[in-house]
Amino acid sequence: VDGRRTVTVTADVDSTIATGNAITGSLLREVLPQILEDTPGLNFRLSGEQEAQLESITSLSRGLVVAMLAMYGMMAVAFKSYGQPLVVLAAVPFGMVGAIIGHIVMGYTLSFLSIFGLVALSGVVVNDSLVLITAINQHRLRGLSALDAVIQGTTRRVRPVVLTSLTTFFGLGPIILESSSQAKWLVPMALSLGFGVLFVTGIALVLVPCCYLILEDFKN
């Protein structure tokens, strides 16, 4: 290839023992650095499934950025504010933290389908924040101060926020607990969605009201 001698190394993965990502990670950390050190002028390139995953993740990352910008634009129009959409989107990273915790709790490693779940999660976790912000804004229109509107709006929306998240999580529960080989590949995506939504519920009930008041402080 380009005048250089090449060697192609291939292998099939026994999914009952390890994952392709885990094996590749081990090679990159422990094996290949030593081979490169022992063989001057040698280089390597990952291909096959790893190359396809990298291309897909790059494409998904671009899609996620576009989706975030689209959500921001729609919320900016609906709220007639440039700051409140940022308060809503602030919950998204915490949903991703919850997804990672879910993988750890259930004993799964992050896979390509986990990334799919994380992208889908970014559109789901904003629901709780939207409900809270809408309720707070309604109280502001009635003439309440920012602090009183936050307290009353959040108090009134605790039940729907919690119930919405719990129903989503329990709806995904059968997939998360499924042990058949046919459904195993769906479990990481369900873990990302289920635990991400569950984790962000408690965060949103605290984070969103605080960020709303911080935003009001900046305005003043």
Side-chain angles (χ1 to χ4, degrees):
V1 176
D2 295 331
R4 300 193 65 183
R5 187 170 52 150
T6 64
V7 176
T8 302
V9 181
T10 63
D12 293 322
V13 178
D14 185 349
S15 59
T16 62
I17 298 175
T19 65
N21 287 332
I23 293 171
T24 302
S26 177
L27 287 171
L28 291 173
R29 288 191 309 270
E30 303 163 11
V31 179
L32 290 171
Q34 185 61 49
I35 294 176
L36 293 177
E37 185 179 337
D38 295 340
T39 314
L42 179 72
N43 57 32
F44 68 90
R45 179 173 64 89
L46 298 176
S47 60
E49 181 182 345
Q50 297 299 318
E51 187 176 34
Q53 280 193 15
L54 182 60
E55 292 175 357
S56 298
I57 289 173
T58 302
S59 176
L60 279 172
S61 300
R62 287 196 296 265
L64 179 60
V65 172
V66 173
M68 288 291 182
L69 291 174
M71 286 192 287
Y72 177 86
M74 288 188 291
M75 288 187 290
V77 171
F79 292 143
K80 298 178 181 178
S81 168
Y82 293 113
Q84 289 187 6
L86 295 176
V87 174
V88 174
L89 294 175
V92 173
F94 292 94
M96 295 182 177
V97 172
I100 294 171
I101 291 174
H103 280 74
I104 296 172
V105 170
M106 299 301 293
Y108 282 81
T109 57
L110 283 172
S111 66
F112 183 59
L113 280 169
S114 303
I115 306 299
F116 270 112
L118 289 174
V119 174
L121 177 67
S122 64
V124 176
V125 297
V126 300
N127 293 341
D128 293 343
S129 303
L130 280 172
V131 169
L132 289 175
I133 293 293
T134 301
I136 294 169
N137 285 340
Q138 288 173 350
H139 285 291
R140 291 300 303 277
L141 291 174
R142 293 173 188 164
L144 294 181
S145 67
L147 180 59
D148 290 336
V150 164
I151 293 172
Q152 293 195 28
T154 305
T155 303
R156 286 189 58 191
R157 289 295 182 262
V158 167
R159 184 182 299 175
V161 165
V162 171
L163 287 177
T164 301
S165 299
L166 287 178
T167 52
T168 303
F169 179 77
F170 288 124
L172 291 165
I175 301 176
I176 293 174
L177 300 175
E178 182 59 54
S179 58
S180 65
S181 57
Q182 291 87 348
K184 271 282 188 183
W185 63 280
L186 274 175
V187 174
M189 187 162 58
L191 281 172
S192 293
L193 279 169
F195 278 90
V197 169
L198 193 65
F199 184 79
V200 84
T201 301
I203 295 294
L205 290 171
V206 177
L207 177 74
V208 172
C210 290
C211 288
Y212 189 97
L213 290 175
I214 291 170
L215 181 63
E216 290 300 311
D217 287 342
F218 275 116
K219 288 181 180 178
N220 295 331

